[in-house]
Amino acid sequence: MKTTAERQDTTAEPAADKGAQKKRSDDRGSLKSMQKLMAVLDCFSVYEQSLTLNDIAVRCGIPKTTAHRLVTSLREVKLLEQDHERDRYRMGIRLFELGSIVLANLDIFSRSRHLVQRLMDTTGENSHLCVFDGTNVISVEHIEPGSGRVNWTTALSISPAYCTGVGKAVLAYQDGSVVAKIVRGGLRPFTPNSITDPDVLAADLEATRRRGYSIDNAEHQPLIRCIAAPIRNVTGRVFAAVSASGPSSRMTDDRLFSFAPLVIATADEISRLSGYVPR
């Protein structure tokens, strides 16, 4: 016959197991909720800055009641704002505040500045280093007019990924769903050379992967041509790109292609600074 202590032990074990199972279930539930909230935020883009509740429900593939619950949660923490007059929603200012903190602490620009400057000096053309935000490419410049530690400003330059050299250099190595999202947002023409056909864009990105660099043939700015190469982080994921660009009158095909080894070498050096170790 079992003692009282032994009987207590056998009843305690299932209770402990149930507690652990409940915690795991709660964790999975929290993760799924977070994924749903992020899916709502992912509906917005530079080209779709405000959406109705029905727009969000359709894009996320969820019932309108679920979309309302998620949107309400995001409004409460100021990640979304509502335009009551038009019953539309847009990203909240809190996201900009959080993004500014991230960019201020993104040290790839300070670490790589000498390499970008070297590329500029070597080619005699403008050089840019940009990071990918999932839709666009962002160039960051830190301006420090004074000596105080807090006396600084951050200037952002945001450009579409599908029609810029740096953008296509990054986009070529992203998951197909990322490219599909950008296509859904619309391939708006900036110049007569802008790619507006999804099939043409897919072929251009394939060519970029094959040769290791992208070409912007006056697709974003008239009469400006650009060559860019991808930058990888410590996990090997392409998250940024560096480029050399100049007037079409100077950036002939021969000169453009002669810059390819320089741009690729610069991108590779910045990748190593970011922790990437080539296989």
Side-chain angles (χ1 to χ4, degrees):
M1 175 176 282
K2 291 184 179 181
T3 65
T4 303
E6 288 174 333
R7 286 196 298 271
Q8 288 176 343
D9 287 344
T10 57
T11 57
E13 288 176 1
D17 289 342
K18 288 181 180 179
Q21 290 174 0
K22 184 178 184 304
K23 184 179 185 305
R24 286 194 295 270
S25 177
D26 290 344
D27 289 343
R28 285 194 296 269
S30 298
L31 178 60
K32 288 182 179 179
S33 297
M34 180 63 70
Q35 290 171 337
K36 289 178 181 179
L37 292 170
M38 288 304 302
V40 171
L41 294 177
D42 281 341
C43 292
F44 297 85
S45 71
V46 173
Y47 312 108
E48 294 178 298
Q49 298 180 6
S50 68
L51 298 170
T52 65
L53 191 63
N54 187 63
D55 292 335
I56 295 171
V58 170
R59 282 166 172 74
C60 293
I62 56 178
K64 198 170 181 179
T65 52
T66 303
H68 183 269
R69 176 173 55 80
L70 296 172
V71 165
T72 299
S73 298
L74 291 168
R75 281 181 57 205
E76 289 176 353
V77 292
K78 300 182 180 179
L79 296 182
L80 282 185
E81 296 175 355
Q82 183 178 11
D83 184 343
H84 292 282
E85 293 182 1
R86 296 191 299 161
D87 194 28
R88 298 179 71 88
Y89 298 88
R90 61 179 179 272
M91 286 188 163
I93 192 67
R94 182 60 180 154
L95 284 169
F96 176 79
E97 294 169 353
L98 295 171
S100 297
I101 295 172
V102 172
L103 290 171
N105 287 281
L106 195 61
D107 58 357
I108 182 176
F109 294 97
S110 58
R111 289 201 312 265
S112 308
R113 186 170 297 166
H114 68 290
L115 296 173
V116 177
Q117 183 65 50
R118 188 185 68 186
L119 179 62
M120 187 182 303
D121 294 341
T122 304
T123 62
E125 303 293 351
N126 290 329
S127 295
H128 300 281
L129 189 154
C130 300
V131 295
F132 183 57
D133 72 351
T135 304
N136 304 289
V137 283
I138 304 173
S139 175
V140 180
E141 290 291 340
H142 292 292
I143 305 170
E144 300 180 359
S147 58
R149 294 186 61 186
V150 296
N151 190 15
W152 57 270
T153 59
T154 301
L156 303 181
S157 174
I158 302 176
S159 304
Y162 65 89
C163 62
T164 56
V166 283
K168 291 193 294 182
V170 177
L171 203 56
Y173 298 91
Q174 303 305 307
D175 186 78
S177 62
V178 176
V179 179
K181 176 189 173 185
I182 290 176
V183 170
R184 283 197 307 271
L187 304 179
R188 182 168 69 91
F190 285 81
T191 75
N193 289 352
S194 297
I195 296 176
T196 57
D197 185 326
D199 292 334
V200 175
L201 176 62
D204 191 287
L205 298 180
E206 171 59 30
T208 295
R209 287 190 294 271
R210 187 171 60 250
R211 64 191 175 219
Y213 61 86
S214 64
I215 295 175
D216 167 7
N217 188 27
E219 298 164 35
H220 184 233
Q221 299 181 53
L223 304 179
I224 298 294
R225 300 186 77 193
C226 169
I227 180 169
I231 297 170
R232 300 177 184 274
N233 65 10
V234 65
T235 66
R237 182 178 65 85
V238 173
F239 75 107
V242 64
S243 69
S245 62
S248 301
S249 57
R250 286 203 306 266
M251 297 289 272
T252 61
D253 286 347
D254 289 344
R255 194 158 187 262
L256 194 74
F257 299 145
S258 71
F259 289 160
L262 297 172
V263 176
I264 292 173
T266 301
D268 289 346
E269 286 191 66
I270 297 174
S271 294
R272 284 192 286 272
L273 286 177
S274 300
Y276 175 63
V277 179
R279 293 181 180 178

